[in-house]
Amino acid sequence: QQPVQSPQAVILREGEDAVINCSSSKALYSVHWYRQKHGEAPVFLMILLKGGEQKGHEKISASFNEKKQQSSLYLTASQLSYSGTYFCGTEGQGAQKLVFGQGTRLTINP
Amino acid sequence: NAGVTQTPKFRVLKTGQSMTLLCAQDMNHEYMYWYRQDPGMGLRLIHYSVGEGTTAKGEVPDGYNVSRLKKQNFLLGLESAAPSQTSVYFCASNTLRGVRDIQYFGAGTRLSVL
């Protein structure tokens, strides 16, 4: 089942902060975050594993609440280059694949 | 190092025609995936493979077939294209750690079915 992302879209001024949420109705073993710019392929940002292990981008942080089956991506002091659509991908029990959310479009204005 | 390469980049088909999309990776990855992306729908998994000679169905497999005869290649076939298959198709791969590792995406194939 597809995870739900919120908000669907957000517009910020450069330097402002943003939080993107990803919520699932099923138990999660890992959550992945990707960013996609218009006309390009998705690019890896972060993996959060059950138990606390993380792998990812230096300037972007994220949290994973296993009990609530939720993850949040935190973008602080946003830069113009952060613009794009952000996707979370979730791994369920026994899965060998990810299920992606519908995406959150982030627009950063000067 | 090319990473994940998809061919072709663009294609226009007529309803009922067939075609094969090729995904090639040079990273010795075990896992490979085919996704389709439609506006507002995110990435939906069509089929995937956890190793040479293996394939499995994803969320939206109907109308597609796949083959993984060589470890580095993952082919996606449309036997009889339909307008509903107009989409952007992405291939991805990752390591033996599988789903708990980074997925590397190809540049995509933009397919229009008229």
Side-chain angles (χ1 to χ4, degrees):
Chain A
Q1 192 167 0
Q2 190 177 32
V4 177
Q5 290 185 229
S6 62
Q8 290 187 344
V10 59
I11 301 174
L12 299 175
R13 288 187 180 274
E14 195 174 8
E16 293 181 334
D17 301 338
V19 180
I20 300 172
N21 301 301
C22 176
S23 179
S24 175
S25 60
K26 295 187 175 181
L28 301 178
Y29 283 72
S30 68
V31 179
H32 302 225
W33 288 95
Y34 286 80
R35 177 171 61 209
Q36 184 180 32
K37 293 190 179 286
H38 183 69
E40 298 181 6
V43 174
F44 168 77
L45 292 176
M46 178 82 67
I47 296 174
L48 303 104
L49 302 177
K50 189 175 181 179
E53 181 182 351
Q54 294 188 13
K55 178 191 296 187
H57 202 283
E58 291 180 358
K59 296 185 179 180
I60 294 174
S61 63
S63 64
F64 178 20
N65 187 323
E66 298 165 26
K67 289 185 178 179
K68 292 186 176 180
Q69 297 149 202
Q70 294 175 346
S71 177
S72 295
L73 185 71
Y74 305 97
L75 303 165
T76 57
S78 57
Q79 305 171 16
L80 294 176
S81 62
Y82 287 5
S83 290
T85 301
Y86 289 76
F87 293 97
C88 69
T90 57
E91 174 203 356
Q93 183 176 5
Q96 296 170 314
K97 57 192 184 297
L98 297 177
V99 181
F100 284 91
Q102 80 280 17
T104 296
R105 179 175 292 182
L106 176 65
T107 303
I108 310 293
N109 292 321
Chain B
N1 192 344
V4 179
T5 303
Q6 292 183 231
T7 52
K9 289 184 170 52
F10 303 93
R11 186 73 185 268
V12 178
L13 290 179
K14 294 182 179 179
T15 297
Q17 288 185 318
S18 63
M19 77 163 294
T20 301
L21 282 67
L22 171 63
C23 177
Q25 52 92 5
D26 61 2
M27 297 175 282
N28 201 34
H29 283 173
E30 291 291 336
Y31 285 49
M32 297 186 75
Y33 309 86
W34 275 109
Y35 296 94
R36 61 176 289 172
Q37 185 173 38
D38 304 296
M41 299 292 289
L43 294 157
R44 293 186 292 169
L45 184 64
I46 304 171
H47 286 280
Y48 65 102
S49 168
V50 300
E52 181 178 318
T54 74
T55 62
K57 294 180 180 180
E59 304 165 67
V60 289
D62 293 343
Y64 305 95
N65 57 74
V66 288
S67 65
R68 183 102 182 265
L69 299 179
K70 292 183 178 181
K71 184 177 182 178
Q72 64 267 34
N73 295 337
F74 195 28
L75 279 64
L76 178 71
L78 286 73
E79 290 185 346
S80 179
S84 61
Q85 294 177 305
T86 293
S87 189
V88 180
Y89 292 85
F90 287 101
C91 174
S93 71
N94 61 7
T95 65
L96 197 57
R97 282 192 70 190
V99 70
R100 294 181 187 174
D101 209 340
I102 301 167
Q103 286 196 15
Y104 296 87
F105 285 82
T109 296
R110 284 153 181 78
L111 175 66
S112 292
V113 183
L114 305 178

